[in-house]
Amino acid sequence: MDVQRAILLFALAFVLIVLYQRWLEFQAPEMTPAEQTEAQQAADAGDQDIPEAPEAPEGSTTPAVSDEEPSVPTDEEQSATAGRLIEVTTDLLQVRIDMNGGGIRQLALLEHPVSVDAPDDPFLLMKEQSTAKGDDIYTTQSGLIGKDRELPNHKTTYEAQQTEYRLDPGDDTLEVDLGWTAPDGVQYTKRFTFQRDSYDIKIDYLVDNRSDTPWQGFIYGQFLRTFIPPDRGFVLGNVPTFTGAAIYTEEEKFQKFDFGDIEDEPMKRTITGGWMAMVQHYFVAGWFPRDDAAYSFYTRAMPNPGNTRYNAGLNSLTPVTVAPGETGQLGLDMFAGPKEQDRLAEKATGFDLTVDYGWLTPVSAPLFWVLDRIHDMVGNWGWAIIILTCLIKLAFYPLSATSYKSMAKMKKLQPRLQTLKERYGDDKAKMNQAMMEIYKKEKVNPLGGCLPIVVQIPVFIALYWVLLESVELRQAPWELWIKDLSIRDPYYVLPVLMGASMFAQQLLNPSPLD
């Protein structure tokens, strides 16, 4: 029995360690004013020239990064340009583009309301808000970098022919053009291309070189965001999930960088292929190169009184050249939307890993695949979960039956084992020897009741993360009062039933000797 108790304690410790590690990993620490001051001083003393392009070879006009660090506009600039926004509406997205910089200021997901109780209020994936806890900012910035020319970046003021664009019925694409002419006569068009039934946004720079010299430049795209940690403490329905930057490379696959990592050590790598993303619970936004050329992937933190601001982005390292009198094009692709696994898998290799199951991905991914197939047949995620759970229990039935039989035999032996305890008292050696003789005679394995349960633990933890990470369950109804499978039961009926069932199962277990 001591061995059985030790194994059960080990299983419990295993579960607690997994949950505690996830909590520590994904809880970003809040910076005190003193820490922000220290971080600001460190940033002032350090090198923050990101993004950057390679140095030009001697005798070449290949541009390199300018000495000026890309920075976020001040609050006054944001207020001044609040009226200079272009509103774009498609079947899935409602986007506001700022003509000062040509970045996305707001991105709303029309098919994903804020809550079941507010079906007409779309979820704002990207936004700029001031809250009691500080600035809540999540926007995009993109532009061109080089040297010896003034190039359009995320501070350039563009012009547009209209301030509202809408994807009309029957149209599959929608183009939004912003224009700017440089002092040297080069004309630039920043073009956003939206598609029907898609969360993809193509961003292109069309360069019309009307100057007398060859033009060369690099493209960059980055996310700018702050992070407001959730309320501390373990609260039902407030389970911590990962929020931060992520990259994918062919060599090292999927890697995550939470905001604490970015503050401790900014990341900068030269990568061929892959993608850069900003990940949060249920939703993701990412930058994708269109070629297999080398790109610089980077993250950085910029302390700010209204909340530390973070960049995560990439820039090309191979210049595009446009001869005088010719035109050229530079572009990046962007995705911004829910973590629907079919869309993510189609977008890029490894992008579906942003549905973060952690180290249990080899188990969780097949479980979701089965869950999705069941949903295709029954049409309801709640019933699909119940059927999947029954299938898992059925698959483990031989182990469970062995466990229950072993526990039933152990329960019958309890009176005899209790007699041994009374007979031998504190003489553990003799009592254990007598117990082993009884186990051998009755053909009972004292570990048979717990080992089958230990085997099942990783599978049900994997199922837990499937249910936690799947955006498909967000606001998905089941039956009766259950209108959203991603939040807790408002009346606690299901937890009470689960507790009752656990109590009933506990009655099947043998009572401990002590």
Side-chain angles (χ1 to χ4, degrees):
M1 291 302 294
D2 289 338
V3 176
Q4 183 178 9
R5 186 181 299 108
I7 293 179
L8 291 175
L9 289 175
F10 170 79
L12 177 61
F14 173 79
V15 175
L16 292 177
I17 290 173
V18 170
L19 295 177
Y20 183 66
Q21 286 179 338
R22 299 289 292 192
W23 179 269
L24 292 180
E25 181 181 356
F26 297 143
Q27 281 295 98
E30 292 182 296
M31 294 183 67
T32 64
E35 290 173 332
Q36 290 183 352
T37 301
E38 293 176 1
Q40 179 67 63
Q41 293 171 350
D44 293 340
D47 181 14
Q48 294 284 337
D49 290 335
I50 300 175
E52 69 177 33
E55 293 293 336
E58 185 176 356
S60 170
T61 58
T62 301
V65 68
S66 63
D67 293 332
E68 181 182 5
E69 172 191 349
S71 59
V72 181
T74 64
D75 291 340
E76 290 77 14
E77 290 172 329
Q78 292 174 2
S79 299
T81 60
R84 297 178 57 81
L85 297 177
I86 298 174
E87 185 162 314
V88 182
T89 304
T90 72
D91 56 329
L92 298 180
L93 299 173
Q94 187 177 65
V95 179
R96 290 180 178 175
I97 302 172
D98 188 358
M99 284 193 277
N100 183 12
I104 294 177
R105 274 283 189 84
Q106 180 176 296
L107 188 145
L109 306 176
L110 300 179
E111 296 293 320
H112 291 265
V114 173
S115 67
V116 174
D117 297 331
D120 297 329
D121 297 336
F123 178 80
L124 295 180
L125 176 58
M126 297 183 182
K127 57 186 179 298
E128 287 180 318
Q129 297 175 345
S130 294
T131 71
K133 294 184 178 181
D135 296 333
D136 186 5
I137 299 174
Y138 186 4
T139 62
T140 71
Q141 299 172 333
S142 58
L144 303 178
I145 50 179
K147 95 174 174 180
D148 299 332
R149 289 181 185 273
E150 184 177 349
L151 301 177
N153 55 32
H154 64 272
K155 297 180 180 180
T156 301
T157 300
Y158 294 91
E159 297 294 334
Q161 294 183 351
Q162 58 193 77
T163 57
E164 285 191 30
Y165 293 81
R166 183 176 294 274
L167 183 64
D168 294 327
D171 292 343
D172 292 328
T173 60
L174 175 64
E175 293 182 348
V176 177
D177 288 349
L178 309 181
W180 180 72
T181 301
D184 58 5
V186 179
Q187 293 186 351
Y188 299 89
T189 300
K190 184 173 185 178
R191 175 170 293 168
F192 294 82
T193 303
F194 301 85
Q195 298 174 318
R196 182 174 296 278
D197 189 30
S198 176
Y199 295 101
D200 294 333
I201 303 175
K202 296 182 180 295
I203 299 176
D204 292 279
Y205 282 86
L206 311 181
V207 181
D208 185 359
N209 186 7
R210 299 188 179 185
S211 69
D212 298 329
T213 58
W215 182 97
Q216 285 186 321
F218 305 82
I219 190 171
Y220 72 88
Q222 63 185 15
F223 298 110
L224 170 73
R225 77 170 299 171
T226 58
F227 177 64
I228 298 178
D231 294 334
R232 304 290 184 180
F234 188 84
V235 181
L236 290 175
N238 187 25
V239 181
T241 56
F242 176 76
T243 301
I247 65 172
Y248 181 88
T249 68
E250 290 297 331
E251 296 77 16
E252 301 182 10
K253 306 305 179 183
F254 181 63
Q255 297 173 276
K256 300 181 295 185
F257 307 86
D258 64 28
F259 296 112
D261 296 333
I262 296 174
E263 290 188 31
D264 293 339
E265 184 178 359
M267 182 272 294
K268 184 179 178 184
R269 300 181 188 176
T270 299
I271 295 172
T272 301
W275 44 261
M276 162 67 75
M278 189 66 77
V279 183
Q280 66 189 67
H281 194 201
Y282 292 140
F283 306 102
V284 62
W287 291 104
F288 303 85
R290 295 182 185 172
D291 50 42
D292 293 330
Y295 279 74
S296 176
F297 286 47
Y298 59 86
T299 63
R300 66 170 179 177
M302 299 168 289
N304 186 281
N307 270 352
T308 298
R309 299 179 177 184
Y310 304 89
N311 278 143
L314 51 82
N315 63 269
S316 62
L317 297 176
T318 303
V320 172
T321 302
V322 182
E326 301 293 333
T327 59
Q329 181 172 331
L330 301 85
L332 290 171
D333 291 341
M334 194 185 85
F335 177 97
K339 293 193 284 188
E340 297 173 0
Q341 296 194 38
D342 291 340
R343 292 183 187 270
L344 301 183
E346 292 176 359
K347 180 59 186 175
T349 301
F351 198 43
D352 54 339
L353 295 176
T354 56
V355 182
D356 185 23
Y357 300 135
W359 61 277
L360 286 171
T361 296
V363 181
S364 296
L367 286 178
F368 177 80
W369 184 87
V370 175
L371 180 67
D372 193 30
R373 301 289 83 76
I374 296 173
H375 173 262
D376 291 340
M377 292 186 291
V378 302
N380 183 287
W381 286 106
W383 290 114
I385 293 171
I386 293 175
I387 294 173
L388 175 60
T389 304
C390 292
L391 291 177
I392 294 174
K393 295 296 290 183
L394 184 62
F396 282 121
Y397 175 76
L399 290 177
S400 299
T402 301
S403 176
Y404 294 145
K405 289 178 182 178
S406 178
M407 287 189 291
K409 291 180 180 179
M410 289 293 296
K411 191 170 185 178
K412 290 181 178 180
L413 294 178
Q414 288 305 301
R416 297 172 62 180
L417 297 177
Q418 184 65 33
T419 300
L420 291 178
K421 181 182 179 183
E422 295 173 355
R423 178 184 304 172
Y424 294 106
D426 296 332
D427 193 340
K428 295 288 186 179
K430 289 185 178 180
M431 186 179 72
N432 289 334
Q433 183 179 0
M435 287 172 56
M436 295 307 296
E437 290 177 358
I438 293 178
Y439 292 153
K440 185 176 180 180
K441 180 179 178 180
E442 300 295 335
K443 297 181 180 181
V444 174
N445 182 358
L447 303 181
C450 57
L451 284 179
I453 297 176
V454 172
V455 174
Q456 300 177 48
I457 288 176
V459 176
F460 282 98
I461 293 178
L463 177 60
Y464 165 77
W465 284 107
V466 167
L467 304 182
L468 179 65
E469 281 288 320
S470 299
V471 69
E472 290 81 359
L473 303 184
R474 183 178 184 268
Q475 299 177 11
W478 180 38
E479 300 289 349
L480 302 175
W481 70 94
I482 304 297
K483 305 299 183 183
D484 187 347
L485 288 171
S486 67
I487 62 175
R488 65 186 182 216
D489 182 347
Y491 305 114
Y492 297 98
V493 174
L494 297 181
V496 170
L497 291 177
M498 185 184 72
S501 67
M502 293 180 66
F503 178 75
Q505 293 182 55
Q506 184 66 27
L507 296 179
L508 299 176
N509 296 336
S511 57
L513 292 179
D514 50 0

